[in-house]
């Protein structure tokens, strides 16, 4: 198992190579363009004054790092498509500099996005399991400090090692000087960043999110059962209310299963590949392109798509998000009473749908 071919079958290499060579760049441009716009809209909505709350603070930073991630990927794919079709002969100095900062930025942004996702799910878990302690454990001050600590941690653990692992070297091709990006500057930093990216950025969050989501689903189902029992001894009005609650819980349960499945499909295989790349030092192998770069491009497209559709999910499932967005960009006739109602519910509601789908 000293080469990529040992654990990467030829069929997967062919599929990955075809996708990476023919579909990855155009799909990245389309997905990231619309995804960046959608996440910018998310950021604008969640930073409205009447939307301020600990969960929405996390949502706003999640939209920010996802916007930066998708914007960087869009610029990289666009430059590659228009100017740098063949990196071996068209790699200029400024393109190499861009690639160094690009790799550090997307690695840091992705890790921060995962951190915020886990944090948001944990906040939701506390709100469900320990509702009386939520205001003390998940206050605005604690949430803000945790977000700041997350940025610092992600930069130190992944951003700096990713930046220091790469260097620019010159190379002569047909009497023309080009610049090549290598990982030889600090092999230790390179392997460290790969392990951190694979374990902390993908494998461990997949396990934690799966467990937290499972616990939330169990609790929601238990509450649904309890609600059904109450309907036998309550009025017709209470039964209608319980039926609506049951429908809401069923919807949120389906969303949780779907979101966790998508996250697991997109991130877990990428974490395994990143870990194997670090263990077997695949940067020196001729199979690195086929096994890692090409296969990772498929899973990255899935991740980009998951990030890009967050606006659609927010708008569909969250009433407070929908009302706020309409008041900003759509229906100017949204009443002051409606906005006041939304503002009063922000601190105590964080929609079941909105909080649950944030596992993305």
């Amino acid at each position: 198992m000293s080469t990529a071919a040992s654990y990467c079958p030829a069929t997967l290499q062919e599929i990955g190579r075809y996708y990476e060579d023919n579909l990855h760049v155009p799909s990245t441009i389309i997905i990231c363009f619309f995804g960046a716009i959608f996440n910018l809209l998310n950021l604008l909505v969640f930073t409205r004054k009447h939307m301020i709350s600990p969960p929405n603070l996390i949502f706003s930073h999640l939209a920010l790092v996802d916007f930066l991630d998708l914007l960087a990927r869009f610029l990289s794919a666009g430059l590659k498509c228009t100017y740098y079709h063949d990196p071996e002969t068209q790699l200029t100095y400024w393109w190499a500099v861009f690639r160094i900062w690009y790799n550090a930025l997307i690695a840091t942004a992705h890790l921060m996005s995962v951190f915020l996702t886990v944090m948001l799910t944990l906040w939701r878990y506390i709100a469900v399991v320990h509702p009386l302690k939520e205001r003390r454990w998940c206050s605005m001050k604690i949430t803000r400090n945790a977000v700041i600590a997350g940025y610092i941690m992600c930069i130190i653990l992944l951003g700096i090692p990713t930046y220091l692992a790469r260097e620019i070297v010159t190379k002569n091709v047909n009497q023309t000087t080009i610049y090549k990006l290598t990982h030889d500057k600090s092999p230790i930093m390179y392997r460290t960043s790969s392990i951190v990216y694979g374990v902390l950025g993908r494998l461990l969050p997949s396990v934690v999110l799966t467990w937290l989501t499972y616990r939330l689903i169990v609790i929601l189902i238990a509450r649904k059962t309890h609600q059904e029992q109450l309907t036998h001894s309550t009025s017709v009005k209470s039964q209608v209310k319980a039926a609506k609650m049951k429908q809401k819980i069923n919807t949120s349960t389906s969303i949780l299963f779907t979101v966790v499945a998508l996250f697991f499909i997109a991130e877990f295989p990428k974490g395994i590949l990143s870990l194997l790349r670090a263990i077997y030092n695949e940067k020196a192998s001729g199979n690195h392109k086929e096994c890692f770069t090409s296969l990772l491009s498929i899973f990255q497209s899935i991740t980009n798509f998951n990030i890009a559709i967050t606006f659609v999910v927010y708008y569909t499932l969250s009433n407070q998000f929908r009302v706020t967005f309409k008041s900003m960009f759509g229906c100017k006739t949204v009443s002051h009473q409606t906005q006041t109602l939304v503002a009063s519910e922000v601190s105590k509601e964080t929609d079941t749908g909105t909080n649950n789908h944030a596992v993305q």
Side-chain angles (χ1 to χ4, degrees), residues 22-145:
N22 299 280
L23 302 175
H24 182 54
V25 172
S27 65
T28 298
I29 292 176
I30 296 173
I31 294 174
C32 292
F33 175 77
F34 289 102
I37 294 177
F38 287 155
N39 276 278
L40 183 59
L41 293 177
N42 292 340
L43 181 62
L44 292 175
V45 172
F46 284 121
T47 52
R48 297 300 91 189
K49 185 177 180 180
H50 68 276
M51 290 286 285
I52 295 177
S53 68
N56 287 346
L57 177 64
I58 303 175
F59 276 124
S60 63
H61 284 276
L62 186 61
L64 175 61
V65 295
D66 287 342
F67 168 76
L68 294 175
D69 188 348
L70 294 174
L71 180 63
R73 294 184 187 278
F74 170 76
L75 293 175
S76 176
L79 289 172
K80 184 177 180 181
C81 181
T82 55
Y83 295 106
Y84 304 107
H85 303 284
D86 186 3
E88 290 298 323
T89 59
Q90 295 178 298
L91 187 59
T92 64
Y93 175 77
W94 292 112
W95 174 243
V97 171
F98 171 79
R99 294 296 300 181
I100 290 179
W101 285 97
Y102 164 79
N103 290 328
L105 174 62
I106 62 171
T108 306
H110 174 78
L111 186 60
M112 186 61 191
S113 178
V114 172
F115 172 81
L116 291 171
T117 298
V118 175
M119 179 179 170
L120 184 61
T121 310
L122 179 61
W123 258 229
R124 177 58 178 167
Y125 180 81
I126 293 174
V128 172
V129 180
H130 305 287
L132 298 180
K133 299 179 181 179
E134 178 193 4
R135 291 187 178 274
R136 179 160 54 91
W137 290 0
C138 307
S139 64
M140 282 294 295
K141 182 178 180 180
I142 292 178
T143 303
R144 188 178 295 109
N145 291 339

Side-chain angles (χ1 to χ4, degrees), residues 296-349:
L296 283 175
S297 66
I298 297 177
F299 295 112
Q300 186 57 54
S301 294
I302 298 175
T303 301
N304 292 341
F305 181 78
N306 289 344
I307 297 174
I309 64 173
T310 53
F311 173 82
V312 178
V313 181
Y314 290 148
Y315 189 88
T316 303
L317 300 176
S318 173
N319 182 62
Q320 55 177 310
F321 183 94
R322 186 165 52 252
V323 171
T324 302
F325 178 80
K326 286 182 178 180
S327 68
M328 293 173 59
F329 302 103
C331 302
K332 299 299 183 181
T333 57
V334 175
S335 66
H336 176 73
Q337 181 180 2
T338 302
Q339 293 193 43
T340 303
L341 178 61
V342 171
S344 66
E345 292 181 349
V346 162
S347 60
K348 65 180 180 180
E349 183 188 61

Side-chain angles (χ1 to χ4, degrees), residues 177-346:
T177 301
I178 66 171
Y179 299 86
K180 187 176 182 180
L181 202 60
T182 70
H183 305 93
D184 298 330
K185 182 178 180 180
S186 179
I188 295 179
M189 286 292 184
Y190 173 81
R191 304 190 77 172
T192 299
S193 63
S194 296
I195 293 175
V196 171
Y197 200 51
V199 177
L200 295 183
R202 304 189 189 284
L203 298 181
L204 185 59
S206 297
V207 175
V208 173
L209 288 173
T210 300
W211 183 83
L212 286 175
T213 305
Y214 168 75
R215 291 297 305 159
L216 283 173
I217 289 174
V218 170
I219 294 172
L220 289 174
I221 292 176
R223 289 186 177 182
K224 181 186 70 172
T225 303
H226 178 68
Q227 201 71 29
E228 290 176 345
Q229 294 175 351
L230 291 178
T231 58
H232 296 292
S233 57
T234 56
S235 62
V236 175
K237 183 178 180 180
S238 298
Q239 292 181 13
V240 172
K241 184 178 180 180
K244 292 181 179 180
M245 179 62 68
K246 178 181 177 181
Q247 182 180 4
K248 187 176 183 180
I249 291 176
N250 288 336
T251 301
S252 63
T253 303
S254 301
I255 294 169
L256 279 172
F257 275 123
T258 303
V259 166
V260 171
L262 289 174
F263 184 92
F264 194 85
I265 291 172
E267 301 298 340
F268 191 78
K270 289 164 66 177
I272 294 295
L273 288 174
S274 298
L275 193 59
L276 290 173
R277 177 174 58 184
I279 293 174
Y280 295 105
N281 197 21
E282 289 300 331
K283 71 184 183 67
S285 170
N287 291 305
H288 169 64
K289 170 75 172 179
E290 288 74 14
C291 187
F292 293 112
T293 307
S294 56
L295 288 183
L296 283 175
S297 66
I298 297 177
F299 295 112
Q300 186 57 54
S301 294
I302 298 175
T303 301
N304 292 341
F305 181 78
N306 289 344
I307 297 174
I309 64 173
T310 53
F311 173 82
V312 178
V313 181
Y314 290 148
Y315 189 88
T316 303
L317 300 176
S318 173
N319 182 62
Q320 55 177 310
F321 183 94
R322 186 165 52 252
V323 171
T324 302
F325 178 80
K326 286 182 178 180
S327 68
M328 293 173 59
F329 302 103
C331 302
K332 299 299 183 181
T333 57
V334 175
S335 66
H336 176 73
Q337 181 180 2
T338 302
Q339 293 193 43
T340 303
L341 178 61
V342 171
S344 66
E345 292 181 349
V346 162

